[in-house]
Amino acid sequence: MDPLRLTLSDLHERHARHARTLNKSEKTIDWYRGAIEDFCRFLEDAYEVAAPARLADFTLERVRDYILYLRGRPAFVGHPFHAT
């Protein structure tokens, strides 16, 4: 299989298995999943990337744009402990 066709979700599952072998907490693994899901939503909104996003959609330019997006986003948006 062409690795660029793997979905980011598939890659997360592979990483999660590896993280468990290193005794990482499920909370940490869930945090990674949330970060990937947020990046995928960004790809859908900013670049109209069809879900599920694939490794081929993960480019340096898009990651840089995502970082700029995060820097411009108000802090604690959607955080469970932040009073809105």
Side-chain angles (χ1 to χ4, degrees), residues 62-83:
R62 290 174 176 179
V63 170
R64 286 179 174 154
D65 286 345
Y66 180 61
I67 291 168
L68 292 173
Y69 160 76
L70 290 176
R71 287 185 177 170
R73 186 168 74 175
F76 302 107
V77 170
H79 192 279
F81 300 112
H82 184 263

Side-chain angles (χ1 to χ4, degrees), residues 21-82:
T21 66
L22 299 175
N23 206 28
K24 301 291 183 185
S25 75
E26 289 301 315
K27 186 173 181 178
T28 297
I29 294 168
D30 286 342
W31 184 88
Y32 289 136
R33 179 187 316 278
I36 289 174
E37 289 171 352
D38 191 54
F39 180 67
C40 289
R41 280 189 296 274
F42 170 78
L43 290 176
E44 291 171 18
D45 294 342
Y47 289 98
E48 298 179 358
V49 170
R54 301 192 178 284
L55 184 58
D57 300 317
F58 193 94
T59 66
L60 182 59
E61 176 187 359
R62 290 174 176 179
V63 170
R64 286 179 174 154
D65 286 345
Y66 180 61
I67 291 168
L68 292 173
Y69 160 76
L70 290 176
R71 287 185 177 170
R73 186 168 74 175
F76 302 107
V77 170
H79 192 279
F81 300 112
H82 184 263

